[in-house]
Every structure is written in structure tokens, then in C-alpha cells.
Amino acid sequence: MIEATDFRNAMSLLTTAVHVVTTEGTSGCHGFTASAVCSVTDTPPTLLVCMNQTSRSHAHFIKNKILSVNVLGAQHEQISNAFASKLRSEERFEQGSWTELETGAPVLEDALVSFDCEIEQIQEVGTHSIFMCRVVAIKQSQQDESLVYFNRAYHQVGQVEIA
């Protein structure tokens, strides 16, 4: 049997993009930092987002039924930390500049790319909920450097200009 600690240690060696996932609706404006986001299919455009059920904003995502996945650029480490912290929702959104696309979920204006989504299905697996999200709008920036998480630390990945 694999121990949870051994699994987490092994998973820390899986390089992942860093995202801030947000929602807005009758349940308010909320967001969290996530690494467990991936493409499911392009027809229809669908993302998978995993969220811990014990998260204080979990119920808000369930109630609002929409979310935005904001893929963070190299300059967004502070925003990632804010959305992973114990700050109140209002304080988190003081970081960065926010707009919206189609659903009304907050979109980080200078994100590498933002996916505006409707939550179509929710599957509970262990401690997490898996949101199957239909992408209804996309906003892409001209940046080419991404913030990633590897071995419990932030790193930057992207095009390096040679002088």
C-alpha cells in the first residue's frame, strides 16, 4: 500500500503549471491556487479542475457553477501565494487587475491565458472534487514565460532571448 506522504513526495516531482481558479455569483467572489488542471478534450472544449473538498471556498464553486482558470505568468508568484494563503477573498482579489469574459468569473487581466468555464459535472474522488468544465471563452496574452511548480518551489519556463 502506498502511503499518502510517499505519494505527495513523488507528485512534487511532477512539474505543473500554476493557476488561479476563480468564481463569482450568488455565493460571492472566491478563488484558489491550483496545480491540478488539465485539458480533457477539444470537442467540446473541456477542462478538468480538481479542488479539495475541505477548502473554505469549495461550496461557493459548487453553488456558482462557473469558474475561470487563469494560467499564471512568470511575474505572478505573489498572486499565487495570495490565493494559496489564509487571506480573505476580498484581500486576495486586491492582488492583480481583474476583468471578466462571458460567465462573470474573475479573469486576471495579464494572465498567460484564461479559460472562462461553466461547470458541467462534478465527481467526488477521495478528498477532492473533480469539476468537468465546458470552456465558453478564452483570453490569451502575448507573454511567453510561465510560472510552474516543481519540487515544492516556483520556477519560470519560457522563451529566453539571446542577446
Side-chain angles (χ1 to χ4, degrees), residues 18 20 71-82 95-97 108-113 139 141-148 154-157:
V18 182
V20 166
V71 182
L72 300 187
Q75 76 278 18
H76 292 131
E77 189 172 328
Q78 184 176 351
I79 290 175
S80 174
N81 286 332
Q95 304 288 322
S97 297
L108 184 62
E109 285 188 359
D110 63 344
L112 199 62
V113 62
K139 179 180 179 286
S141 75
Q142 299 303 310
Q143 296 179 64
D144 58 4
E145 290 187 356
S146 179
L147 186 65
V148 298
Y154 291 109
H155 301 274
Q156 296 175 3
V157 176

Side-chain angles (χ1 to χ4, degrees), residues 20-23 29-33 51 57 61 83-84 89 92-93:
V20 166
V21 181
T22 62
T23 191
C29 188
H30 300 276
F32 68 102
T33 300
M51 182 179 194
S57 59
F61 280 82
F83 278 82
S89 287
R92 291 176 179 192
F93 285 99

Side-chain angles (χ1 to χ4, degrees), residues 8 11 26 34 41 55 59 63 65-69 74 77 80 83 100 102 114 122 129 131 136 141 157:
R8 284 192 300 272
M11 289 303 296
T26 58
T41 181
S55 167
K63 185 171 185 182
K65 297 185 176 82
I66 61 165
L67 60 77
S68 175
V69 174
E77 189 172 328
S80 174
F83 278 82
E100 61 184 56
E102 197 164 312
S114 296
I122 302 169
S129 290
F131 300 133
V136 297
S141 75
V157 176

Side-chain angles (χ1 to χ4, degrees), residues 13 19 24 36 43 53 66 72 77 83-84 89 101 105 107 131-132 152 157:
L13 300 175
H19 315 86
E24 170 76 51
T43 310
Q53 295 169 11
I66 61 165
L72 300 187
E77 189 172 328
F83 278 82
S89 287
L101 296 176
V107 170
F131 300 133
M132 300 301 286
R152 297 184 173 90
V157 176

Side-chain angles (χ1 to χ4, degrees), residues 21 32-38 48-52 128-131:
V21 181
F32 68 102
T33 300
S35 59
V37 173
C38 70
L48 173 156
V49 177
C50 296
M51 182 179 194
N52 194 314
H128 282 65
S129 290
I130 301 169
F131 300 133

